[in-house]
Amino acid sequence: MEQDEDVDMTATSSPSLLKRNASNSSGDHDSKISAGLDQEAMEEEESNRRERAVMERIEQEASAKLDEEIRQEEKMNRKERAAREQLEQEIIEDKEGEEREQLNIEEKEMLLMDKAISVLPSLPYFHHHIISKRRRLDGGHGMVDDVPDVSLFKNTIQTLESVIERLKSDLTRMEAAHARGSAELGRWWQESKEKTRIELKEWMKLPSRKAGKAEDQDSRPSYRQSKYQKYGRQMCMPEIGFDGQIKLTKSKVLIVGLGGLGCPAAGYLARAGVGTLGLVDGDTVETSNLHRQTLYLEEDVGQSKVLTAYGRLRQMNSRIHYERYDYRLTPEKAPKLFDQYDVILDCTDRQSSRYFISDAAVVTRKPLVHASALGTMGQFMVLNNPPSLIDGNAHQGPCYRCIFPKPMRPENSRSCAEAGVLGPVVGVMGIVMAMEAIKLITQPNSTPWYMIYNAYSKEPFKMLNLNRKNQNCVACSEKCTITRELLESGSLDYDEFCGGRINYDVLEDHQRMSVRDCKRLMDSKPQEHVLVDVRDKVQFDIGHVKGSINLPISTIYQSPDAGLGALGQELDFQPTLGKNPTVHFICRYGNDSRLALRQILDSQRIREHGTLDYGRRRYLMGMDVIGGYDAWRKEIDPWLPDY
């Protein structure tokens, strides 16, 4: 019985014990869950705190960067104002100097006439005193006021002969006046002195100072001794000579664009003594300009190109006149501006600018010197020479539209920033432009020609004859439709004519990602993501994102399917990639990579299969990296080269 009770008690107590054990187990489990949740909450809070700290740091850095930019801008504004004030002061001083110089000339002439009149009673010494005085005033050189001694001697003898003849005729009058008294003699002497002053004043002008063609073959236009010294080396050449130098002094040349072409052209034209040099540009100096734009220094970065170039050119030649146009030239302003000049130099690098500058040169009947350079090559031609008169004359020179009736497609027209350029190549083309401008001024009747320059060719210069103008040209033929009124009205859209701006908006938002997102993907799963750089190989070799591979966009443009084959072949040699990696695209600024990805997505292979199957892998097309290499350098890796 006791045994049964024991059994019953055991049976009775077992459920209670099990319940307590179950309750304890449940409590432990709940506490573990609660601890886990608390840990996750703490980790989430810590993550949020870190993100807030990062955001605050970014905001502080952005604010500091903005403050620094504001300070730099204020500094540049102060420098620019100081430069403007200095230039204005130099202009004022230059004008005052010219006025003082003119006054000195007049004082010298008056002093000389007084001296000549004072020695009239001693006629044998008249010529000696005049010559000696003028030579002393001129510094003792063999040239007297820039006129050869032989010319001065001939004019002196003629003047003396006329004075002697008049004095002989007045001799009897003087004797009669002397007989009538000293008062009459005094009046006669004053009259004679005034007549002599007039004669000497005419003699002082000399044939070289008279307007028009002088009768004396030895006479020359007014030219200072300093100008002979400055331009003498080119004046002694038969191609220039004295007459050619006078033409240069009276000429007016307009340079549109003060970049790699405009800087050397402006420098040589200023040194050659062109009378008026017009400078047109609306840009400021950048660091990337310094390797080829020879008028600028490191200290000029951020300053106006026109004002900086003006200051440098005045240091080269302060005796010519400069006109400054610190703005971008437009079709509406071009004709009125071109009217003021004899020769136009197109030193721009935009396709649309070349077309409207040529059209403006045609309607204003101005010869146009054109050149361009890219990479290691350049081209040059003289257009609209002789100027087109819209009368069907077959001997008139062609315009830019005659040579290039249709503009190049925007995607094929690359700038120096995209394709690069060698500094000396641009310098060569700018110097050739200056030389041709001098030829147009001194020898205007020349045959149109076209020059191609290749710096790395065995024969770098190749000369071609330009065809005569296109008889159906819309700008310079009898059938022309472009008029001055149409240009000045602003109704011609040259950007649209040249293909407009390239449409880079070819991807959806979900097909693009930031450089930080790309960095996160590449770091977290490097075997599943690969970055393709579509820049040229030369730029890729300068600097690239670590782990990226190179596929130039030119290869993709030639044939997207062939480009995919080249891409697959390149990726097949990447041993670290998985079986199904995703391909992302990057370029320099985030523009070409969009076009490259769009081309690949529209290719037949991707449209049919959705993926690129090559070798043992299947590649998925991923996203474009916003901002490209430049954004990666600024936000991720500042040690990458900034070229």
Side-chain angles (χ1 to χ4, degrees):
M1 193 70 181
E2 291 178 359
Q3 185 178 359
D4 293 338
E5 290 177 357
D6 292 338
V7 172
D8 293 340
M9 290 176 62
T10 303
T12 305
S13 62
S14 295
S16 174
L17 180 61
L18 292 172
K19 185 175 181 181
R20 286 196 302 273
N21 291 336
S23 176
N24 293 335
S25 176
S26 176
D28 292 341
H29 181 67
D30 291 343
S31 64
K32 290 180 180 179
I33 293 175
S34 176
L37 293 175
D38 293 341
Q39 182 66 24
E40 291 179 357
M42 291 175 62
E43 291 178 354
E44 183 177 2
E45 184 178 355
E46 179 65 18
S47 176
N48 293 335
R49 186 186 65 78
R50 290 178 180 176
E51 290 181 359
R52 288 194 299 272
V54 170
M55 292 300 296
E56 290 176 358
R57 186 171 68 255
I58 293 174
E59 291 177 357
Q60 292 174 357
E61 292 176 355
S63 177
K65 184 177 180 180
L66 180 61
D67 293 340
E68 180 64 21
E69 290 178 352
I70 293 174
R71 286 194 296 271
Q72 291 295 332
E73 184 177 1
E74 292 176 352
K75 184 178 179 180
M76 287 189 293
N77 290 336
R78 288 196 299 269
K79 290 178 64 178
E80 185 172 354
R81 286 196 299 270
R84 288 179 182 274
E85 292 175 357
Q86 182 179 358
L87 290 176
E88 291 175 357
Q89 183 63 28
E90 290 177 355
I91 293 172
I92 294 173
E93 293 176 356
D94 189 50
K95 290 182 178 179
E96 292 177 351
E98 292 178 355
E99 293 175 357
R100 286 195 299 270
E101 185 176 359
Q102 184 63 31
L103 289 175
N104 290 336
I105 293 173
E106 295 177 357
E107 291 175 358
K108 291 176 182 179
E109 292 180 349
M110 292 299 297
L111 180 62
L112 179 56
M113 286 188 290
D114 291 340
K115 180 65 178 177
I117 293 172
S118 67
V119 299
L120 275 177
S122 304
L123 288 179
Y125 301 99
F126 179 79
H127 176 262
H128 170 73
H129 279 278
I130 295 296
I131 295 298
S132 300
K133 186 65 177 177
R134 288 173 68 87
R135 279 182 173 170
R136 286 197 298 274
L137 293 175
D138 195 52
H141 298 288
M143 305 287 286
V144 181
D145 198 28
D146 301 337
V147 181
D149 281 350
V150 61
S151 176
L152 176 63
F153 184 78
K154 290 169 64 177
N155 283 277
T156 303
I157 294 300
Q158 293 174 1
T159 303
L160 285 173
E161 289 176 350
S162 63
V163 171
I164 291 172
E165 290 297 325
R166 184 176 54 78
L167 290 177
K168 286 181 178 179
S169 65
D170 288 346
L171 182 58
T172 55
R173 289 183 57 197
M174 183 178 66
E175 293 175 350
H178 181 71
R180 289 193 294 271
S182 59
E184 184 68 20
L185 179 61
R187 285 195 298 272
W188 174 87
W189 173 246
Q190 290 297 329
E191 293 175 2
S192 178
K193 184 178 179 180
E194 184 62 28
K195 290 179 181 179
T196 306
R197 180 183 293 275
I198 294 173
E199 291 180 7
L200 289 176
K201 188 174 182 180
E202 290 298 321
W203 172 75
M204 283 295 300
K205 291 181 179 179
L206 298 176
S208 62
R209 294 179 182 263
K210 296 180 181 179
K213 185 176 180 181
E215 296 179 358
D216 193 336
Q217 294 181 355
D218 293 330
S219 63
R220 289 290 184 268
S222 178
Y223 224 61
R224 298 189 182 282
Q225 180 69 17
S226 60
K227 293 184 179 180
Y228 277 104
Q229 296 172 346
K230 181 176 291 185
Y231 309 124
R233 294 298 186 272
Q234 64 191 37
M235 288 171 61
C236 64
M237 297 170 52
E239 292 83 359
I240 303 295
F242 189 90
D243 294 336
Q245 189 61 46
I246 293 300
K247 291 179 181 179
L248 285 172
T249 304
K250 295 180 179 180
S251 66
K252 296 182 178 181
V253 179
L254 180 67
I255 299 177
V256 185
L258 292 173
L261 297 170
C263 285
Y268 276 99
L269 290 174
R271 293 177 187 273
V274 168
T276 299
L277 201 57
L279 310 173
V280 184
D281 202 308
D283 287 340
T284 56
V285 180
E286 299 178 1
T287 303
S288 60
N289 301 150
L290 300 180
H291 90 287
R292 67 191 185 279
Q293 300 181 12
T294 54
L295 289 178
Y296 313 125
L297 307 177
E298 290 182 351
E299 63 189 30
D300 301 323
V301 172
Q303 302 299 316
S304 164
K305 283 188 175 181
V306 166
L307 295 179
T308 304
Y310 168 68
R312 297 281 187 276
L313 293 171
R314 285 195 76 254
Q315 293 176 348
M316 298 178 189
N317 193 344
S318 61
R319 292 303 181 184
I320 70 173
H321 183 64
Y322 300 95
E323 291 289 348
R324 294 157 288 170
Y325 308 97
D326 194 3
Y327 56 76
R328 290 185 181 274
L329 189 64
T330 61
E332 298 90 333
K333 297 178 181 178
K336 186 176 181 180
L337 182 60
F338 287 10
D339 283 336
Q340 306 173 37
Y341 292 88
D342 304 316
V343 179
I344 312 299
L345 270 62
D346 178 9
C347 302
T348 60
D349 59 358
R350 295 185 64 217
Q351 194 172 203
S352 58
S353 299
R354 294 167 186 163
Y355 276 98
F356 84 71
I357 289 174
S358 174
D359 293 345
V362 170
V363 300
T364 56
R365 297 173 54 188
K366 305 294 181 180
L368 176 65
V369 180
H370 165 82
S372 61
L374 192 66
T376 61
M377 299 185 66
Q379 67 176 13
F380 166 86
M381 50 191 155
V382 177
L383 302 169
N384 201 36
N385 183 50
S388 299
L389 302 178
I390 320 300
D391 59 1
N393 186 353
H395 296 289
Q396 294 168 2
C399 71
Y400 191 80
R401 288 181 183 268
C402 294
I403 312 301
F404 304 106
K406 294 183 179 180
M408 189 182 300
R409 291 176 59 86
E411 57 268 22
N412 297 328
S413 177
R414 308 182 68 187
S415 65
C416 293
E418 297 169 336
V421 65
L422 196 60
V425 173
V426 191
V428 168
M429 305 313 297
I431 292 172
V432 174
M433 295 182 78
M435 184 65 248
E436 288 304 311
I438 292 174
K439 286 169 62 178
L440 286 173
I441 295 168
T442 57
Q443 300 177 3
N445 297 323
S446 59
T447 303
W449 58 283
Y450 178 71
M451 184 190 80
I452 298 175
Y453 174 69
N454 188 344
Y456 283 84
S457 173
K458 292 182 180 179
E459 296 180 356
F461 292 96
K462 185 176 181 181
M463 316 296 291
L464 302 171
N465 289 328
L466 280 179
N467 296 326
R468 295 300 178 183
K469 72 175 189 177
N470 184 356
Q471 298 303 317
N472 297 317
C473 179
V474 297
C476 66
S477 69
E478 291 181 333
K479 303 176 183 179
C480 70
T481 57
I482 298 177
T483 63
R484 180 174 185 136
E485 292 73 19
L486 202 59
L487 270 174
E488 293 178 335
S489 67
S491 58
L492 294 176
D493 191 340
Y494 285 87
D495 288 330
E496 183 66 25
F497 169 71
C498 294
R501 298 185 179 275
I502 301 177
N503 180 23
Y504 293 110
D505 191 15
V506 294
L507 299 176
E508 301 292 337
D509 291 341
H510 68 273
Q511 294 175 308
R512 310 191 70 201
M513 63 177 171
S514 67
V515 291
R516 294 186 181 277
D517 291 338
C518 181
K519 171 69 173 173
R520 192 178 299 112
L521 287 176
M522 300 292 291
D523 290 345
S524 62
K525 299 178 180 180
Q527 71 279 3
E528 296 182 10
H529 299 275
V530 61
L531 189 60
V532 175
D533 194 323
V534 300
R535 292 176 296 159
D536 292 339
K537 185 179 184 305
V538 175
Q539 297 188 47
F540 181 81
D541 291 340
I542 293 174
H544 57 268
V545 176
K546 185 179 180 180
S548 61
I549 65 172
N550 184 225
L551 179 66
I553 192 174
S554 57
T555 304
I556 300 174
Y557 269 138
Q558 289 175 0
S559 173
D561 290 319
L564 282 172
L567 176 62
Q569 184 178 3
E570 184 70 27
L571 293 174
D572 199 42
F573 289 102
Q574 305 295 322
T576 59
L577 292 178
K579 292 184 178 180
N580 301 309
T582 302
V583 182
H584 307 289
F585 293 83
I586 191 172
C587 64
R588 186 173 183 183
Y589 297 113
N591 295 325
D592 286 348
S593 54
R594 282 188 273 180
L595 301 178
L597 179 55
R598 183 74 271 164
Q599 288 280 339
I600 290 175
L601 293 176
D602 292 341
S603 65
Q604 184 177 357
R605 184 181 297 188
I606 298 299
R607 287 202 310 269
E608 291 178 355
H609 304 286
T611 59
L612 171 62
D613 297 332
Y614 194 94
R616 53 192 174 84
R617 295 192 182 104
R618 172 173 292 179
Y619 300 97
L620 305 175
M621 295 300 108
M623 292 184 283
D624 160 67
V625 179
I626 300 173
Y629 170 90
D630 189 61
W632 193 287
R633 180 188 60 80
K634 292 177 180 178
E635 300 183 30
I636 305 298
D637 188 0
W639 294 104
L640 287 173
D642 180 14
Y643 65 96

